[in-house]
């Protein structure tokens, strides 16, 4: 289905005088746009009264796009139910834990379990699919917009949750056991007593709260698949996606991703100059996380076009080159389509200060010119790049269940599951080591090194798979807070790291949750580093220590250990070391596994390698505000400037290059 890379925009024809459509669309084409997204918030224009449909305007717009060779992605409009629906069927509206209703007027005012919503969603989606499901101008669909966890407390969610629990546990006594409700006299004697979590405190039973999250994930998956099934009745060729946003989400991306053909992300890299040492790296992680959802390339449904605002005070103006550079970063990481949000800044409604590519004056400025340059480049290079693939040898394993479980219960002051993933990922990026961020449980065959931060909720099977991976010659890196919980979120009754004890060759005698305090660690070379957040006090059970704590009553005991397992190794990082130590450790692991890394990448530069049968394509991006010189390992041909590059490459702020390097030359 995917034959070319595309760059485009998000457009809201319903928010502009129809007299402007044609000129807008022509201008898009001239700028190099080949794809647009339409209709995500336009329910009231497509169905102004119950089951009265008005699609003429949309027909006309799609027709105009088709005439201009611009492909359309249509959205199901369920993020914004129209007034008649919320008036006549208020059960559509979600209710939060304090009993407050989310009313119409903004967006996201829909409960995923509402029967009325599902009924009217099915009707309009059915109509849309009949009309556009085989329309040559429409290439795909986006379901709803930017899902997030509603924690809805409406009556329907209560009954649905209860049914879900009955299915899972069958009897109240099994439920009591699974949740450990005897604590604080919380035992249920009747299913009717079981509700979604009220209670006015976040410190509710952790087994209950984790099940409530799982329930919501299942219901969102159902909401998604119901919409997909409706579209699929009339649409056989078009792709179906959803635009995830703002990581880390409380959603289960991997679970929701299963129903999609392709995952999408809304990418708004931070324009703040003070965030420039971290922002581009957390952006890199977001993109790797998105590629990991389906373990294949993805789309960006909304990409930064100017300064975001409205929902918060406006961000800083994007520095010259910023918009183009971060779109290229997304493409380099696997985004085969990137749609900029939005064509023109709104002149009406609450989002007037979230900048589009063109200002309300409609006078094209700096941002628009930068965008057109980018669009032309992507159109030109797409044939070269579209079939190239990644050959990553490193994976970070991520688990939404773990993330949620550790969100439910504090670990230590400053502990954050996703931030820890960021720290490991940033080191890899700084070393120029490409990596995949995939679900715990995904196949590991292609990897040599697997980094598994805080595998907190774990079953025996997962533990065994990691052990087998090491047996076969792989390296596994585990960290503190692993093997703590069983799937029902009960604490395990063995020494930690529970099921991972055997492969790690250690056990945790006790721990010191040092939080924001620091602890010195010293490695085999006698060098000293700092660590924070957590210190497991470890007993060696076959593993050897490679670094030791220097402070506290456990000074001299192991902080980092390594265990030989079959042909491979399992490292256990019992604390959270600083960046310098992590860099040293990851470099050691890369060397041991013959994974290529680049110790000389200047700060702020990211590289990405992609391959086809004959060439390597090396993306070199300066995502910083200073000039940099990047040494080259082998000469290459610059696709952007059509010149040869020999030993080094000089990049101005937010400048980039893409080199074609024949595989024969390394
Ligand atoms: C996204 C959303 C868009 C738009 C944009 C700017 O989160 O999907 O519809 O609102 O943010 O706020
Ligand atoms: Zn609800």
């Amino acid at each position: 289905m995917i034959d070319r890379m595309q760059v485009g925009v998000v457009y809201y024809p319903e928010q502009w005088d129809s007299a402007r459509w044609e000129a807008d669309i022509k201008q898009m084409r001239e700028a190099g746009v080949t794809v647009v997204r339409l209709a995500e918030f336009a329910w009231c224009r497509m169905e102004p009264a119950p089951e009265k449909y008005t699609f003429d305007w949309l027909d006309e717009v799609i027709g105009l796009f088709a005439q201009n060779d611009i492909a359309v992605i249509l959205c199901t409009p369920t993020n914004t139910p129209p007034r008649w629906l919320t008036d006549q069927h208020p059960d559509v509206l979600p209710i939060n834990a304090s009993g407050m209703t989310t009313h119409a007027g903004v967006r996201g005012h829909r409960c995923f379990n509402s029967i009325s919503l599902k009924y009217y969603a099915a009707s309009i989606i059915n109509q849309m699919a009949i009309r556009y499901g085989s329309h040559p101008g429409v290439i795909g669909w986006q379901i709803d917009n930017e899902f997030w966890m509603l924690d809805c407390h409406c009556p329907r969610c209560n009954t649905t949750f209860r049914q879900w629990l009955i299915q899972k546990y069958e009897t109240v006594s099994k439920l009591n056991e699974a949740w450990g409700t005897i604590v604080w006299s919380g035992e249920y004697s009747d299913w009717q007593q079981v509700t979604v979590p009220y209670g006015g405190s976040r410190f509710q039973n952790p087994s209950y709260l984790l099940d409530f999250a799982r329930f919501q994930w299942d219901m969102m998956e159902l909401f998604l698949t119901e919409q997909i099934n409706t579209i699929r009745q009339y649409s056989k060729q078009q792709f179906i996606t959803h635009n995830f946003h703002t990581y880390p989400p409380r959603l289960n991306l991997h679970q929701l991703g299963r129903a999609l053909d392709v995952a999408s992300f809304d990418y708004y890299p931070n324009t703040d100059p003070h965030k420039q040492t971290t922002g581009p790296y957390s952006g890199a992680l977001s993109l790797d996380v998105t590629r990991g959802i389906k373990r294949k390339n993805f789309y960006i449904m909304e990409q930064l076009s100017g300064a975001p605002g409205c929902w918060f005070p406006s961000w800083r103006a994007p520095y010259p080159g910023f918009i183009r550079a971060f779109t290229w970063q997304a493409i380099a990481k696997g985004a085969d389509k990137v749609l900029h949000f939005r064509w023109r800044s709104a002149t009406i409604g609450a989002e007037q200060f979230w900048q589009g590519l063109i200002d309300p004056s409609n006078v094209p400025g700096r941002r628009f010119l930068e965008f057109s340059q980018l669009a032309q480049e992507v159109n030109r290079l797409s044939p070269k790049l579209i079939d190239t693939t990644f050959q990553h040898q490193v994976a970070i394993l991520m688990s939404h269940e773990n993330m949620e479980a550790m969100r439910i219960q504090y670990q230590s002051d400053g502990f954050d599951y996703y931030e820890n993933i960021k720290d490991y990922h940033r080191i890899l990026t700084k070393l120029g080591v490409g990596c995949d961020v995939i679900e715990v449980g995904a196949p590991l065959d292609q990897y040599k090194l697997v980094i598994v931060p805080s595998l907190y909720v774990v079953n025996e099977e997962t533990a065994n798979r990691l052990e087998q991976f090491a047996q076969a010659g792989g390296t596994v890196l585990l960290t503190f807070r692993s093997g703590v919980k069983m799937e029902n979120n009960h604490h395990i009754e063995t020494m930690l790291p529970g099921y991972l004890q055997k492969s790690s060759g250690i056990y945790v005698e006790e721990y010191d949750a040092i939080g924001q305090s620091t602890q010195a660690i010293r490695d085999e070379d006698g060098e000293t580093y700092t660590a924070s957040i957590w210190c497991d006090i470890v007993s060696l059970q076959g593993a050897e220590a490679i670094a030791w704590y220097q402070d506290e009553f456990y000074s001299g005991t192991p902080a980092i250990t390594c265990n030989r397992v079959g042909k491979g190794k399992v490292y256990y990082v019992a604390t959270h070391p600083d960046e310098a130590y992590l860099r040293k450790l990851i470099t050691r692991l890369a060397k041991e596994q013959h994974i290529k890394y680049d110790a000389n990448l200047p700060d702020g530069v990211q590289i990405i390698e992609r391959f086809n049968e004959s060439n390597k394509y090396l993306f070199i991006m300066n995502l910083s505000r200073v000039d940099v010189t990047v040494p080259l390992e082998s000469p290459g041909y610059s696709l952007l400037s059509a010149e040869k590059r020999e030993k080094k490459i000089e990049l101005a702020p937010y400048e980039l290059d893409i080199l074609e390097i024949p595989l024969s030359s390394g």
Side-chain angles (χ1 to χ4, degrees):
M1 251 189 321
I2 303 158
D3 50 359
R4 58 175 173 157
M5 291 175 164
Q6 292 182 294
V7 172
V9 294
V10 173
Y11 187 54
Y12 297 96
E14 70 279 11
Q15 296 180 15
W16 302 99
D17 188 332
S18 58
R20 300 183 77 155
W21 293 346
E22 211 167 336
D24 280 352
I25 293 170
K26 209 167 138 264
Q27 196 181 6
M28 288 177 201
R29 183 167 98 166
E30 279 159 12
V33 165
T34 60
V35 60
V36 288
R37 189 190 71 182
L38 300 177
E40 84 199 298
F41 301 133
W43 195 339
C44 70
R45 278 289 167 92
M46 296 189 287
E47 191 181 3
E51 299 180 73
K52 299 270 174 305
Y53 301 100
T54 46
F55 288 114
D56 316 6
W57 67 275
L58 192 54
D59 291 349
E60 188 188 334
V61 176
I62 296 175
L64 285 172
F65 277 114
Q67 281 165 27
N68 285 278
D69 293 322
I70 297 176
V72 168
I73 300 169
L74 280 180
C75 305
T76 67
T78 44
N79 195 278
T80 46
R83 299 269 179 196
W84 57 259
L85 177 50
T86 54
D87 286 351
Q88 290 173 25
H89 302 279
D91 68 290
V92 160
L93 302 171
I95 299 176
N96 73 14
S98 335
M100 265 172 56
T101 301
T102 304
H103 289 282
V106 187
R107 57 176 175 179
H109 50 285
R110 42 88 184 91
C111 161
F112 298 118
N113 292 320
S114 156
I115 294 185
S116 311
L117 178 75
K118 284 177 187 248
Y119 174 83
Y120 284 100
S123 322
I124 186 145
I125 295 168
N126 200 51
Q127 293 298 317
M128 291 178 82
I130 290 173
R131 206 168 183 97
Y132 304 116
S134 55
H135 192 298
V138 177
I139 55 168
W141 298 80
Q142 173 190 300
I143 306 290
D144 200 279
N145 178 62
E146 295 191 338
F147 284 152
W148 68 83
M149 294 279 265
L150 292 173
D151 295 314
C152 180
H153 287 62
C154 77
R156 176 70 192 166
C157 282
N158 260 309
T159 51
T160 317
F161 183 44
R162 208 170 288 135
Q163 283 157 11
W164 185 87
L165 291 168
I166 292 171
Q167 278 253 295
K168 181 164 179 176
Y169 295 111
E170 289 166 2
T171 66
V172 172
S173 68
K174 284 194 201 152
L175 176 82
N176 281 324
E177 199 187 314
W179 286 359
T181 52
I182 179 59
V183 175
W184 293 340
S185 212
E187 285 184 308
Y188 299 100
S189 54
D190 188 297
W191 280 112
Q192 288 312 308
Q193 298 167 336
V194 184
T195 65
V196 300
Y198 295 98
S201 163
R202 72 180 289 277
F203 300 101
Q204 308 208 31
N205 183 312
S207 303
Y208 170 38
L209 293 182
L210 189 56
D211 262 350
F212 185 53
R214 287 170 174 145
F215 158 74
Q216 295 193 71
W217 295 338
D218 282 359
M219 295 307 108
M220 274 187 240
E221 188 187 5
L222 182 67
F223 184 72
L224 186 65
T225 44
E226 284 168 349
Q227 294 204 16
I228 292 173
N229 293 341
T230 308
I231 295 173
R232 276 286 169 250
Q233 286 182 284
Y234 303 100
S235 161
K236 305 294 173 210
Q237 307 294 329
Q238 299 155 329
F239 66 79
I240 302 182
T241 190
H242 173 77
N243 57 333
F244 298 109
H245 71 115
T246 321
Y247 294 165
R250 283 184 55 214
L251 306 177
N252 189 327
L253 297 176
H254 303 121
Q255 182 178 352
L256 289 174
R258 273 179 232 143
L260 302 172
D261 298 312
V262 51
S264 296
F265 179 58
D266 291 350
Y267 189 27
Y268 294 104
N270 203 313
T271 52
D272 185 345
H274 300 109
K275 296 263 164 69
Q276 291 317 296
T277 52
T278 52
Y281 295 99
S282 75
L285 174 59
S286 300
L287 299 166
D288 283 343
V289 164
T290 308
R291 198 181 60 256
I293 295 174
K294 297 213 53 96
R295 287 184 279 120
K296 65 172 201 184
N297 285 8
F298 57 94
Y299 301 154
I300 299 289
M301 281 294 130
E302 297 178 18
Q303 174 89 19
L304 182 101
S305 298
C310 318
W311 305 93
F312 30 73
S314 287
W315 286 10
R316 299 289 298 271
Y319 198 87
F322 188 100
I323 294 173
R324 167 176 171 260
F326 280 90
T327 301
W328 268 117
Q329 182 204 28
I331 294 172
K333 289 267 189 193
D336 287 339
K337 300 187 199 304
V338 179
L339 283 79
H340 284 250
F341 183 93
R342 49 189 272 163
W343 174 244
R344 189 166 42 238
S345 312
T347 56
I348 50 175
E351 283 200 336
Q352 293 167 27
F353 302 122
W354 191 290
Q355 289 187 320
L357 291 169
I358 308 184
D359 292 333
S361 65
N362 207 30
V363 177
R366 173 175 77 82
R367 303 194 306 278
F368 178 76
L369 293 177
E370 195 174 308
F371 167 79
S372 338
Q373 179 196 342
L374 161 85
Q376 316 280 348
E377 284 166 353
V378 175
N379 291 338
R380 180 164 65 83
L381 298 185
S382 160
K384 284 247 182 228
L385 299 174
I386 187 68
D387 287 325
T388 60
T389 55
F390 301 90
Q391 294 177 5
H392 293 159
Q393 298 176 321
V394 180
I396 295 179
L397 303 192
M398 183 172 116
S399 150
H400 288 285
E401 218 162 55
N402 279 274
M403 189 144 50
E404 185 67 9
M406 287 187 273
R407 198 193 61 81
I408 290 169
Q409 286 179 290
Y410 292 134
Q411 301 298 309
S412 66
D413 184 17
F415 175 90
D416 183 314
Y417 175 73
Y418 194 75
E419 287 298 322
N420 289 353
I421 289 184
K422 270 191 197 169
D423 288 343
Y424 281 91
H425 186 269
R426 190 170 53 246
I427 299 297
L428 292 167
T429 307
K430 287 192 171 180
L431 288 169
V433 178
C435 97
D436 294 337
V437 181
I438 53 174
E439 183 178 15
V440 169
L444 301 177
D445 318 327
Q446 77 184 79
Y447 303 110
K448 291 177 166 180
L449 166 62
V450 168
I451 299 174
V452 203
S454 300
L455 188 55
Y456 178 76
V457 182
V458 64
N459 59 25
E460 213 171 344
E461 191 196 325
T462 304
N464 290 342
R465 289 184 65 246
L466 290 173
E467 187 176 333
Q468 282 154 18
F469 174 78
Q471 285 281 357
T475 299
V476 178
L477 184 152
L478 300 172
T479 78
F480 62 93
R481 300 320 274 152
S482 288
V484 179
K485 295 282 196 135
M486 296 187 290
E487 283 184 328
N488 54 14
N489 214 1
H490 293 195
H491 199 289
I492 197 148
E493 295 187 22
T494 61
M495 301 286 277
L496 299 185
Y499 293 125
L500 297 158
Q501 229 187 83
K502 185 160 147 252
S503 59
S504 60
I506 55 134
Y507 62 66
V508 176
E509 283 178 347
E510 60 174 309
Y511 55 72
D512 186 10
I514 63 171
Q516 315 272 8
S517 314
T518 55
Q519 161 69 255
I521 58 173
R522 199 153 69 125
D523 72 359
E524 294 161 307
D525 303 331
E527 283 166 17
T528 309
Y529 302 86
T530 49
S532 58
I533 308 290
W534 194 275
C535 297
D536 277 337
I537 303 169
V538 156
S539 155
L540 300 176
Q541 300 291 313
E544 62 183 69
I546 61 166
W548 297 263
Y549 295 119
Q550 299 300 296
D551 295 324
E552 276 296 339
F553 61 93
Y554 45 94
S555 175
T557 68
I560 322 287
T561 65
C562 171
N563 192 35
R564 288 183 181 280
V565 176
K567 293 189 209 145
K569 288 178 180 175
V570 176
Y571 284 84
Y572 188 85
V573 183
T575 182
H576 194 67
D578 59 15
E579 182 162 330
Y581 182 80
L582 284 182
R583 186 177 170 107
K584 187 168 179 186
L585 178 65
I586 298 292
T587 305
R588 167 189 171 136
L589 271 45
K591 274 191 193 137
E592 283 178 3
Q593 283 287 5
H594 307 289
I595 295 165
K596 212 174 111 240
Y597 65 92
D598 184 344
N600 301 313
L601 264 192
D603 248 9
V605 175
Q606 297 189 13
I607 59 169
I608 287 151
E609 293 182 340
R610 291 172 64 165
F611 299 85
N612 64 17
E613 274 165 18
S614 28
N615 295 304
K616 171 163 98 179
Y617 292 88
L618 181 63
F619 294 76
I620 311 175
M621 298 167 289
N622 179 11
L623 301 176
S624 82
R625 291 184 171 219
V626 296
D627 295 316
V628 296
T629 303
V630 186
L632 292 179
E633 228 174 52
S634 37
Y637 171 76
S638 158
L639 296 184
L640 288 173
S641 65
E643 280 166 23
K644 198 138 194 236
R645 302 273 184 236
E646 295 290 346
K647 296 206 155 51
K648 59 176 192 220
I649 182 163
E650 270 153 22
L651 296 172
Y654 299 111
E655 195 46 72
L656 67 126
D657 211 339
I658 305 168
L659 299 187
E660 184 176 66
I661 303 168
L663 283 178
S664 49
S665 78

